[in-house]
């Protein structure tokens, strides 16, 4: 076997990814694609990149799959202890700062970017971005992963304050599907998690139900169509 192929097979599992977190009027919506790659190969086409930290806080994971999983596991453990000590659910801010603390203190060893989102009775729906290096940013929306570079202009044009839950969910699915169409490292299905005062709702959108973008549309009146037709009409001078 080609040495380059062996190197690809031995590469770390990486989530060349699209992850999104959006606030709306009443809560937050988190969304992600499902492709996990090993070098140039798709190792898992239906992975779940939205991980539960507590009953009211979830995290979207990108970058190294192993790094993002270990950060999520540690934070979930610490938050469980924190909840037992307080006797009440943790806030989104506390969860996000724990993620930030682990990411920053281990920034030389971790290759992962995370988006923390959730709802609590003190501040409502909140989204925090924790990119590579451990900075923490509270934002009305956050995007990450390799597919995010295709989405900044779309968010600038389409994002609006005070969206309803339905509008926010449709917006997230549309954004992830756009990244899947443009980014070779993003693909598979779209998963969303909606968190508000009523609880958590997970949704799943198969790849064949996602919006179709320009490059994916069936070609009409193309050169191939012309060549496949019967002999052309002679030109008349």
């Amino acid at each position: 076997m080609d040495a380059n192929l062996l190197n690809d097979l031995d590469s770390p599992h990486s989530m060349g990814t699209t992850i999104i977190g959006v606030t709306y009027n009443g809560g937050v919506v988190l969304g992600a694609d499902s492709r996990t790659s090993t070098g140039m190969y798709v190792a898992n086409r239906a992975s779940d990149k939205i991980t539960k930290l507590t009953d009211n806080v979830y995290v979207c994971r990108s970058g190294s799959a192993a790094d993002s999983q270990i950060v999520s596991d540690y934070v979930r453990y610490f938050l469980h202890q924190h909840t037992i000590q307080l006797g009440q659910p943790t806030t989104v801010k506390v969860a996000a700062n724990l993620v930030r603390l682990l990411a920053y203190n281990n920034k030389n060893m971790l290759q992962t970017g995370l988006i923390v989102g959730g709802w609590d009775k003190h501040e409502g729906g909140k989204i925090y971005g924790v990119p590579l290096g451990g900075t923490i940013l509270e934002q009305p929306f956050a995007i990450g992963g390799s597919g995010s570079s295709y989405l900044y202009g779309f968010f600038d044009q389409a994002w609006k304050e005070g969206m309803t839950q339905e509008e926010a969910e449709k917006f997230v699915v549309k954004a992830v599907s756009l990244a899947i169409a443009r980014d070779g490292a993003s693909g598979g299905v779209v998963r969303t998690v909606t968190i508000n005062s009523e609880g958590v709702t997970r949704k799943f959108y198969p790849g064949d139900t996602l919006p179709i973008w320009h490059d994916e549309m069936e070609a009409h009146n193309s050169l191939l169509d012309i060549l496949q037709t019967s002999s052309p009409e002679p030109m008349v001078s």
Side-chain angles (χ1 to χ4, degrees), residues 159-200:
W159 162 259
K160 63 179 181 180
E161 291 276 0
M163 288 188 288
T164 65
Q165 178 178 330
E166 183 180 3
E167 287 174 330
E169 288 177 349
K170 286 182 177 179
F171 177 75
V172 167
V173 173
K174 188 175 183 180
V176 177
S177 67
L178 174 59
I180 286 173
R182 300 295 186 193
D183 176 35
S186 299
V189 304
V190 175
R191 301 179 193 275
T192 63
V193 173
T194 302
I195 313 167
N196 53 36
S197 59
E198 297 177 359
V200 177

